[in-house]
């Protein structure tokens, strides 16, 4: 893929997760096209396909039936009609309609994979697909129905049907007949040639769309979690020495070290945290006694002290998961493939989303563990038994004679909600890829379940973002009770961001809208921008 300003020219080799997220969420205006070299490759593979059809040889899905029906050959005269039937009989998805950002990512990834060349689909078909994306004509894709092999057949059929001008789409904020939306944009419906229906639907774009957005979102969560740990350390008057470079250089996992370094940067200038050295200076010594109880703990609990070891797993997972997804979205993921350079036809199984499934099963475990970590930190902050003198449940401080004393419960309900959401995230973290089912007359007898894994990852990330939002709200309250002026400059900036959207909780009130506000601040990168401390591992993000 090449870029010129705000133009992306797809060639099936260089699309990145960051670009998928930007296009899918429309954060920057982008004009999409096909790179000249890709146009040449696509033309050549189409010519080879036509030559091979004319020879009368059986070509899977072109002059044969699909799947287990591969032993039924048809004449070349029927090949185009076969493609339409392929699309129609897969229009049987169920479940909720896919979110617009995932749908946009699906269109972009499918187009990019097809521009590699071996899929033998005409450039004008892919150009039409990109015009749908540019006009935001989005097919209504049900979330459920894909095994992740043979590709995302069911979901991608809704994409193909829209290209044919059939079904319904979301267009200009409304559900409208596809034909009507195409007329409004001056787009002609596609008439498929042999193999083109199969090229459109026999791929992993739907699975990869969920995965690409999950990677982008998990990177923001990793940063927000380190912000939360730094704020927790301040709220609890904790020991910043736990994040000392010496400790983490002696267990040099890059993600762990990056997390600790970021937390140190976030705590720089704090008057709320202490250090092991300061505790030693303050100590009075045993003075001849055989035992005494220390006034200050020299070690914080695991959920604070070991936070880099938890978030470090997510950060290191993002590195390889991101590489795997980048590879997947720049692959020819359909079957068969046409090698125009040598004039050969190859049948294989690139539609199998095994790498995406494994990546998403791993990512969701790491993210769910992060939710558990933050939920445990929240317990320490709201519980008067552990919060180092903060008010019970972070209620606003009041004199005992104040009529309001005893009437308010602060963040007690928020902790209950966070625990419930955490439990749900952990419940979803089981491996989807372990549940392969043989289907389609035992032709698809081993399937990836990558789509379910990727959808689960999306769900766990949403749940963990909600836990993080609740925790950040509680931490903003705690830091304010301690005295914002004593917090580190980076933490003061994050506090200011939260307070610009959510007020201090001085009495019991509903806080669900507050959670949604802070969720958005995490998702769109506002928390990262407010902190204004460089991320050592992902300085520009994925």
């Amino acid at each position: 893929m090449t870029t010129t300003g705000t133009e992306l020219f797809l060639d099936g080799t260089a699309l990145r997760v960051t670009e998928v997220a930007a296009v899918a969420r429309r954060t920057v205006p982008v004009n999409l096209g096909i790179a000249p070299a890709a146009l040449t490759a696509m033309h050549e593979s189409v010519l080879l396909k036509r030559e091979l059809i004319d020879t009368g040889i059986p070509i899977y899905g072109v002059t044969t039936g699909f799947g287990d029906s591969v032993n039924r050959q048809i004449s070349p005269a029927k090949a185009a009609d076969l493609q339409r039937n392929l699309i129609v009989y897969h229009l049987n998805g169920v479940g909720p309609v896919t979110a617009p950002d995932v749908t946009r990512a699906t269109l972009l990834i499918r187009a990019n994979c097809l521009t590699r060349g071996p899929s033998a689909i005409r450039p004008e078909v892919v150009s039409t697909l990109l015009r749908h994306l540019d006009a935001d004509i989005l097919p209504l894709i049900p979330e459920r129905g894909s095994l992740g092999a043979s590709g995302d057949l069911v979901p991608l059929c809704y994409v193909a049907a829209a290209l044919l001008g059939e079904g319904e789409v979301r267009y200009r904020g409304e559900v409208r007949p596809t034909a009507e939306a195409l007329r409004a944009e001056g787009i002609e419906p596609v008439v498929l040639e042999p193999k083109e229906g199969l090229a459109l639907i026999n791929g992993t774009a739907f699975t990869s769309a969920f995965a690409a957005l999950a990677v982008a979102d998990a990177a923001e969560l990793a940063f927000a979690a380190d912000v939360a740990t730094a704020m927790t350390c301040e709220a609890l008057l904790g020991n910043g020495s736990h994040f000392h470079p010496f400790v983490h250089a002696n267990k040099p996992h890059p993600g762990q070290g990056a997390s600790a370094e970021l937390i140190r940067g976030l705590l720089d200038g704090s008057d709320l945290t202490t250090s092991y050295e300061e505790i030693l200076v303050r100590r009075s010594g045993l003075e001849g006694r055989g035992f005494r109880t220390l006034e200050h703990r020299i070690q914080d609990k695991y959920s604070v002290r070991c936070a880099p070891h938890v978030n470090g797993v997510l950060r290191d997972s993002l590195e390889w998961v991101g590489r795997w997804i980048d590879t997947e979205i720049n692959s020819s993921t359909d079957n068969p493939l046409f090698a125009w350079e040598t004039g050969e036809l190859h049948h294989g199984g690139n539609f199998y989303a095994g790498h995406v499934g494994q990546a998403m099963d791993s990512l969701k475990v790491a993210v769910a563990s992060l939710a558990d970590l933050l939920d445990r930190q929240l317990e320490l902050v709201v519980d008067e038994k552990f919060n180092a003198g903060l008010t019970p449940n972070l209620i606003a401080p009041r004199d005992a004679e104040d009529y309001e004393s005893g009437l308010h419960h602060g963040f007690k309900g928020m902790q209950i909600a966070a625990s419930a959401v955490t439990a749900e995230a952990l419940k979803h973290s089981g491996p989807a890829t372990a549940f392969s089912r043989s289907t389609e007359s035992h032709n698809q007898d081993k399937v990836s379940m990558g789509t379910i894994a990727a959808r689960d990852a999306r769900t766990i990330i949403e749940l963990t973002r909600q836990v993080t939002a609740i925790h950040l709200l509680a931490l903003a309250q705690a830091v304010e009770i301690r005295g914002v002026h004593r917090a580190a400059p980076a933490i003061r900036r994050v506090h200011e961001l939260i307070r610009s959207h959510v007020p201090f909780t001085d009495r019991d009130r509903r806080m669900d809208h507050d959670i949604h506000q802070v969720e958005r601040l995490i998702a769109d990168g506002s928390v990262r921008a407010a902190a204004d401390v460089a991320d050592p591992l992902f300085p520009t993000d994925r």
Side-chain angles (χ1 to χ4, degrees), residues 149-187:
S150 175
D152 295 312
L153 296 175
V154 170
L156 291 179
C157 272
Y158 290 83
V159 175
L163 287 173
L164 299 179
E166 299 183 3
E168 293 180 321
V169 293
R170 183 184 288 109
Y171 175 63
R172 296 183 180 176
E174 298 179 356
V175 174
R176 300 168 67 173
T178 304
E180 181 182 308
L182 295 184
R183 281 196 300 272
E185 293 291 337
I187 300 174

Side-chain angles (χ1 to χ4, degrees), residues 9 45 60 64 72 100 108 136 164 169 184 186 247 249 259 273-274 286 328 341 356 413 501 505 534 536:
F9 294 96
S45 68
Y60 172 74
T64 75
R72 297 167 187 160
L108 176 63
D136 214 29
L164 299 179
V169 293
V247 174
S259 178
T273 57
T274 185
L286 287 171
E328 189 76 20
E341 303 96 334
V356 184
H501 293 82
T505 303

Side-chain angles (χ1 to χ4, degrees), residues 162-223:
L163 287 173
L164 299 179
E166 299 183 3
E168 293 180 321
V169 293
R170 183 184 288 109
Y171 175 63
R172 296 183 180 176
E174 298 179 356
V175 174
R176 300 168 67 173
T178 304
E180 181 182 308
L182 295 184
R183 281 196 300 272
E185 293 291 337
I187 300 174
E188 289 293 324
V190 166
V191 178
L192 296 176
E193 285 193 359
K195 173 59 169 66
E196 290 183 335
L198 189 57
L200 288 167
I201 74 168
N202 188 207
T204 63
F206 188 67
T207 300
S208 298
F210 280 101
L213 296 179
V215 170
D217 290 342
E220 290 301 334
L221 268 181
F223 189 96

Side-chain angles (χ1 to χ4, degrees), residues 10-21:
L10 305 178
D11 62 8
T13 66
L15 183 64
R16 294 292 174 258
V17 164
T18 45
E19 292 158 335
V20 172

Side-chain angles (χ1 to χ4, degrees), residues 501-513:
H501 293 82
V502 177
F504 179 79
T505 303
D506 62 349
R507 63 191 59 248
D508 288 347
R509 60 179 177 80
R510 69 180 299 170
M511 288 193 270
D512 50 348
H513 298 306

